[in-house]
């Protein structure tokens, strides 16, 4: 069933309550997601984006109950990724000649995925499409936020920015708008989405926000392709994006460890104690990597000035979950963050050096050689770990 967004604009997407992993198994989505498709019924009828492939048939059947498919004048594809374009094949079987407006890169991504030669119309930033009643759709290329093909579509008069992935959240919700939903959950999911998906493109986001700001467009609604629609706290989410894209930090240090027989865990707790003693204003969080969702951990890294990683040495290496987590961080290209490592060992003890090397290659500034401990920590070593925490605190004053 369609839901009213504003005037003649409707949501016709799909709520995916069950989704728990996205991008294969790469991203946790504990609160499900939505795939937002929008139907505009002005003098022209326009469909903006579709839904993920598994829901293609359902989407097209539902759409048929809302509109004669043959009356759709234009389809706008803001982004070719399958979670938004997946229902196109099913839809285009029924209306094969309907023009599709998208970027040149979206033609490549759509052809590459679906091997179809649809009626593509390539648009660039500033191009527009009249849809009647004095309203236009204006296109804004958003290359690398987060695919080369990404773009946003702005609807004049109604002042709606269809932003696609930007400003989205993986947050299944029947309540369509930001002001109707739980604010803490919404803000967390918007942050988790940014930290895990958008972080590598911070510099591009910064330039794009400035570019959009200079256009002085009145924006009454930001309608992303995932999660709820922003209509009340537009200034807040724009300000958040401005902060997040600027190598965001809070006064936080995060300790993430894995442990086999609790020696490295004990060091983690003592290091936290040292950090806290040296700076009671510092937010300190401690997580066992093996017991914590890695995408939630990325949110904590995103907010931190300093991360401290712990792993015992096993098989001349660090524990593989820690190696995988450092690799995940490397892909996100964090900047301006400090790091240190620690861990227990029984004989060879390479893990700390290996973590230092891996963190360096992931773009972190190593602020200490690290803390290594042979066998289980003695009370003296526990004191050393407290001192180690104090020293680390001094690097983020
Ligand atoms: Fe980049 Fe929601 O797809």
């Amino acid at each position: 069933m369609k839901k009213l967004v504003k005037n003649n604009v409707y949501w016709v997407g799909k709520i995916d309550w069950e989704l728990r992993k996205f991008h294969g198994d790469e991203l946790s989505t504990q609160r499900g997601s939505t795939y937002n498709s929008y139907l505009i019924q002005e003098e022209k009828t326009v469909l903006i984006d579709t839904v993920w492939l598994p829901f293609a048939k359902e989407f097209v059947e539902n759409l048929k109950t809302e509109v004669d498919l043959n009356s759709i004048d234009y389809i706008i594809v803001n982004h070719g990724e399958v979670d938004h374009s997946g229902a196109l094949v099913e839809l285009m079987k029924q209306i094969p000649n309907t023009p599709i407006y998208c970027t040149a890169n979206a033609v490549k991504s759509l052809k590459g995925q679906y091997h179809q030669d649809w009626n593509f119309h390539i648009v660039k930033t500033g191009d527009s499409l009249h849809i009647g009643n004095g309203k236009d759709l204006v296109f804004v290329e958003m290359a690398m936020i987060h695919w080369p093909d990404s773009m946003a579509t702005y609807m004049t008069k109604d002042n709606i920015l269809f932003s696609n992935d930007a400003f989205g959240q993986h947050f299944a919700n029947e309540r369509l708008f930001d002001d109707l939903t739980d604010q803490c959950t919404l803000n967390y999911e918007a942050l988790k989405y940014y930290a895990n998906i958008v972080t590598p493109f911070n510099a591009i986001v910064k330039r794009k926000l400035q570019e959009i700001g200079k256009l002085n467009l009145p924006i009454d609604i930001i309608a992303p392709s995932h999660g709820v629609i922003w209509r009340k706290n537009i200034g807040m989410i724009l300000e958040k994006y401005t902060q997040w894209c600027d190598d965001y930090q809070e006064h936080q240090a995060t300790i993430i460890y894995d442990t086999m027989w609790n020696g490295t865990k004990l060091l983690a707790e003592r290091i936290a104690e040292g950090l806290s003693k040296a700076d009671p204003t510092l937010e300190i969080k401690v997580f066992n990597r093996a017991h914590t969702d890695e995408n939630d951990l990325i949110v904590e890294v995103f907010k931190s000035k300093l991360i401290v990683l712990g792993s015992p040495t096993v098989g001349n290496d660090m524990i593989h979950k820690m190696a995988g987590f450092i690799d995940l961080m490397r892909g996100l290209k964090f900047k301006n963050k400090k790091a240190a490592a620690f861990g227990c060992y029984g004989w060879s003890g390479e893990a700390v050096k290996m973590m230092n090397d891996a963190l360096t290659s992931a773009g972190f500034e190593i602020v200490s050689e690290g803390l290594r401990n042979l066998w289980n920590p003695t009370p003296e070593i526990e004191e050393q770990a407290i001192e180690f925490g104090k020293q680390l605190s001094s690097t983020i004053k």
Side-chain angles (χ1 to χ4, degrees):
M1 190 181 73
K2 71 182 182 185
K3 294 181 181 181
L4 180 64
V5 176
K6 182 178 181 179
N7 296 333
N8 297 315
V9 179
Y10 302 90
W11 178 93
V12 288
K14 170 69 187 176
I15 303 174
D16 189 349
W17 295 101
E18 280 200 349
L19 190 78
R20 289 296 177 271
K21 288 285 183 179
F22 190 74
H23 284 158
D25 263 2
E26 282 295 290
L27 178 64
S28 63
T29 51
Q30 290 101 336
R31 294 186 174 91
S33 193
T34 72
Y35 316 106
N36 297 340
S37 171
Y38 298 98
L39 181 68
I40 302 173
Q41 295 180 295
E42 297 289 352
E43 288 172 33
K44 298 290 186 185
T45 300
V46 184
L47 184 72
I48 299 184
D49 294 322
T50 67
V51 302
W52 188 24
L53 186 61
F55 304 106
K57 280 194 163 57
E58 176 185 338
F59 170 76
V60 173
E61 288 309 309
N62 284 341
L63 193 59
K64 273 185 196 171
T65 67
E66 306 294 351
V67 66
D68 174 0
L69 297 185
N70 289 300
S71 74
I72 296 175
D73 296 288
Y74 312 122
I75 296 170
I76 312 297
V77 173
N78 277 329
H79 175 31
E81 196 163 8
V82 71
D83 50 328
H84 308 297
S85 67
L88 267 183
V89 174
E90 191 66 27
L91 181 63
M92 298 308 282
K93 277 182 198 164
Q94 311 212 21
I95 46 172
N97 299 316
T98 307
I100 295 176
Y101 288 75
C102 61
T103 63
N105 280 324
V107 174
K108 290 182 197 168
S109 64
L110 293 171
K111 282 187 175 177
Q113 292 174 100
Y114 306 117
H115 314 130
Q116 302 284 326
D117 200 12
W118 291 316
N119 180 12
F120 293 113
H121 291 245
I122 291 173
V123 296
K124 301 189 293 299
T125 294
D127 289 350
S128 61
L129 195 57
H130 299 298
I131 56 173
N133 299 324
K135 299 178 186 181
D136 294 313
L137 295 179
V138 183
F139 304 108
V140 182
E141 289 170 276
M142 304 272 278
M144 297 319 298
I145 307 173
H146 66 127
W147 270 23
D149 66 8
S150 300
M151 74 171 186
T153 298
Y154 177 75
M155 183 174 175
T156 64
K157 281 203 162 177
D158 285 356
N159 304 335
I160 303 174
L161 181 69
F162 299 96
S163 59
N164 198 260
D165 280 332
F167 309 111
Q169 333 91 45
H170 287 304
F171 184 19
N173 204 317
E174 278 285 0
R175 289 172 291 188
L176 201 57
F177 296 103
D178 62 328
D179 53 302
L180 301 180
T181 196
D182 172 66
Q183 299 298 297
C184 287
T185 306
L186 172 60
N187 292 340
Y188 182 78
E189 291 301 333
L191 172 59
K192 180 175 176 180
Y193 189 98
Y194 189 99
N196 281 277
I197 297 174
V198 189
T199 299
F201 313 112
N202 273 346
I204 299 169
V205 174
K206 197 173 183 175
R207 284 199 300 275
K208 188 54 67 175
L209 286 173
Q210 289 165 351
E211 183 187 318
I212 291 174
K214 281 181 191 157
L215 295 175
N216 257 330
L217 297 173
I219 299 175
D220 294 341
I221 287 178
I222 296 177
S225 55
H226 296 290
V228 301
I229 294 167
W230 304 92
R231 69 175 177 188
K232 182 171 183 216
N233 293 311
I234 292 171
M236 185 276 289
I237 191 63
L238 284 170
E239 175 59 25
K240 289 282 183 200
Y241 263 58
T242 304
Q243 293 173 6
W244 292 343
C245 73
D246 200 16
D247 300 328
Y248 183 75
Q249 291 184 337
E250 295 177 13
H251 193 47
Q252 177 173 331
T254 302
I255 301 171
I256 301 167
Y257 67 92
D258 207 337
T259 194
M260 294 174 74
W261 300 110
N262 290 336
T264 300
K265 172 185 173 182
L266 184 56
L267 292 181
E269 292 177 357
R270 292 297 166 266
I271 293 166
E273 197 179 320
L275 283 164
S276 177
K277 278 183 173 160
D279 182 359
T281 71
L282 182 65
E283 176 86 67
I284 300 156
K285 297 191 181 178
V286 182
F287 299 96
N288 182 317
R289 161 64 199 98
H291 299 165
T292 315
D293 180 284
E294 61 185 358
N295 301 112
D296 288 327
L297 282 180
I298 287 296
V299 175
E300 302 304 333
V301 173
F302 184 83
K303 293 194 290 185
S304 294
K305 292 178 178 173
L306 167 74
I307 61 165
V308 192
L309 299 191
S311 171
T313 299
V314 54
N316 304 111
D317 208 334
M318 69 185 98
I319 286 185
H320 81 277
K321 280 194 172 68
M322 195 57 73
F325 187 67
I326 296 173
D327 194 54
L328 177 62
M329 293 193 293
R330 186 171 57 79
L332 291 169
K333 300 182 171 65
F334 287 111
K335 290 192 174 60
N336 197 25
K337 293 193 188 293
K338 295 178 174 168
F342 64 97
C344 293
Y345 65 101
W347 45 101
S348 60
E350 297 94 333
V352 167
K353 182 175 185 319
M354 295 179 90
M355 283 189 283
N356 283 345
D357 291 346
L359 283 163
T360 300
S361 80
F364 291 82
E365 179 192 346
I366 302 298
V367 294
S368 162
E369 281 185 9
L371 179 67
R372 297 165 71 239
N373 175 61
L374 183 62
W375 299 112
N376 270 345
T378 60
E380 291 74 26
I381 294 295
E382 288 187 58
E383 282 302 319
Q384 277 185 32
I386 292 170
E387 284 307 310
F388 182 62
K390 289 179 181 174
Q391 288 161 16
L392 292 180
S393 166
S394 71
T395 69
I396 52 169
K397 289 290 184 197

